[in-house]
Amino acid sequence: MLQFKGRKILKKKGVDSLQVSGKKERLRDFIKKMGFKSTRQRDIIATEFLKTICHITAEELYKKISRMNKEIGFTTVYRTLKLLAKSGLATERVFADNLTRYEPISTKEHHDHLICLACGGITEFEDTKIEKLQEAVAVEFGFMTITHKMELYGYCRKCKKHAPASE
Amino acid sequence: MLQFKGRKILKKKGVDSLQVSGKKERLRDFIKKMGFKSTRQRDIIATEFLKTICHITAEELYKKISRMNKEIGFTTVYRTLKLLAKSGLATERVFADNLTRYEPISTKEHHDHLICLACGGITEFEDTKIEKLQEAVAVEFGFMTITHKMELYGYCRKCKKHAPASE
DNA sequence: AAGAAAATGAAATTCATTTTCAAAATGTTA
DNA sequence: TAACATTTTGAAAATGAATTTCATTTTCTT
């Protein structure tokens, strides 16, 4: 069983708060449209989540929020993340450690991941050439692709000097 | 949450029994080398597993074996699959339905998967051009790749006529 | 303000996976 | 081959993330 030794996540370029508030508006619209209700909790959770620059689990987000606010339960964080995913503001992903992680949608249309087996760091990348070849494979098999998943597991620049010799 | 409506698996070209017995010998060697013991159960489970032409779960293999042999427990099937994986005779994989599946190692060095969202069918493919591009991406990020995962989810030839219009 | 509907959160449930433990089987040694 | 140390077995229990339940609280109409 694969297991990460840590959870440190690589940084991404600046996230501006204007963008966050735009997304929060989009969430509010979605909530209204669906006949749901806006709540203090959802607002706090969404704000905290949208500030996120990494792939976070419900547990991690819950802990982060608990530090400031003892009155928000795990279940609500969990449900709000699901809601964010349904509204299209978050993406749900499962990597090799089998935990469900959420990530705010980015400007990139679709991206894949490089995952460090030592530090757990996740780096995103995009490669149109690969995407095109994937589609070509699908067509060859008479397959209609809806989505795909591509993850490269290994050791990042910082960790590779400590990579186990035998693998 | 993604869910398969069925479990039908596409066929692969013939598996010859000579190959199976060669693999069984390899398992026996591994067992001996590690100081483990050969047992009737392990033999039955390995034989049944190596005949497998698809990606099977411990549960599925257990049920298949139970039909003929009521005296083999789920735990033993589970443990033998893990053992097969450790011995290098099986590959452990988790797809989007979050079940752990095992597949006998094939002649192909590495392969990726097309997974039908309607019937659950899994088709294997190999594409060296994609592999090379993946490696190029890794190098660009100073990343040392150990392994990778690539899955295309969609509708197979047979199921695509029934694919939901909206996705 | 009152009522209908939805949200909350603690606790319970689910379900695949993994571990425990006492009994049985294996294989090595004398 | 008998004894013994070790491993294996399998039923049952434990684990742990994900999900649901349900009584209570909150929100959003009129």
Side-chain angles (χ1 to χ4, degrees), chain A residues 98-109:
Chain A
N98 251 43
L99 294 177
T100 305
R101 283 161 204 281
Y102 296 85
E103 152 198 27
I105 48 150
S106 74
T107 45
K108 293 180 203 160
E109 189 53 45

Side-chain angles (χ1 to χ4, degrees), chain B residues 1 36-37 39 41-42 71 73 76 79:
Chain B
M1 176 67 55
F36 296 148
K37 288 169 183 177
T39 64
Q41 289 94 327
R42 282 181 175 167
E71 323 224 294
T76 306
R79 277 190 286 224

Side-chain angles (χ1 to χ4, degrees), chain B residues 7-131:
Chain B
R7 286 258 169 285
K8 209 187 46 177
I9 302 294
L10 300 185
K11 321 119 209 156
K12 241 157 70 178
K13 297 113 237 156
V15 174
D16 86 51
S17 55
L18 275 177
Q19 210 180 323
V20 168
S21 60
K23 284 180 183 171
K24 279 175 65 179
E25 198 159 303
R26 194 165 141 191
L27 176 66
R28 221 167 289 131
D29 289 352
F30 177 79
I31 284 175
K32 196 158 217 172
K33 197 183 67 196
M34 301 297 280
F36 296 148
K37 288 169 183 177
S38 288
T39 64
R40 192 176 45 84
Q41 289 94 327
R42 282 181 175 167
D43 199 66
I44 293 168
I45 296 165
T47 305
E48 217 42 51
F49 172 70
L50 293 171
K51 274 199 242 164
T52 278
I53 50 167
C54 59
H55 304 69
I56 201 168
T57 64
E59 188 63 34
E60 284 164 357
L61 184 57
Y62 166 65
K63 280 191 184 142
K64 197 171 161 190
I65 290 171
S66 308
R67 266 183 248 129
M68 315 181 264
N69 192 324
K70 288 280 163 212
E71 323 224 294
I72 292 182
F74 168 77
T75 313
T76 306
V77 173
Y78 164 80
R79 277 190 286 224
T80 304
L81 284 173
K82 287 273 178 202
L83 187 70
L84 283 158
K86 272 182 205 146
S87 78
L89 287 165
T91 310
E92 215 183 88
R93 287 180 201 281
V94 180
F95 297 114
D97 64 355
N98 252 45
L99 294 177
T100 305
R101 284 160 203 281
Y102 296 84
E103 151 199 28
I105 48 150
S106 74
T107 43
K108 293 180 203 160
E109 188 55 44
H110 177 88
H111 59 255
D112 297 299
H113 298 87
L114 289 156
I115 297 154
C116 180
L117 296 168
C119 70
I122 299 171
T123 309
E124 300 173 357
F125 73 92
E126 222 182 354
D127 193 304
T128 17
K129 264 195 248 165
I130 294 180
E131 308 259 319

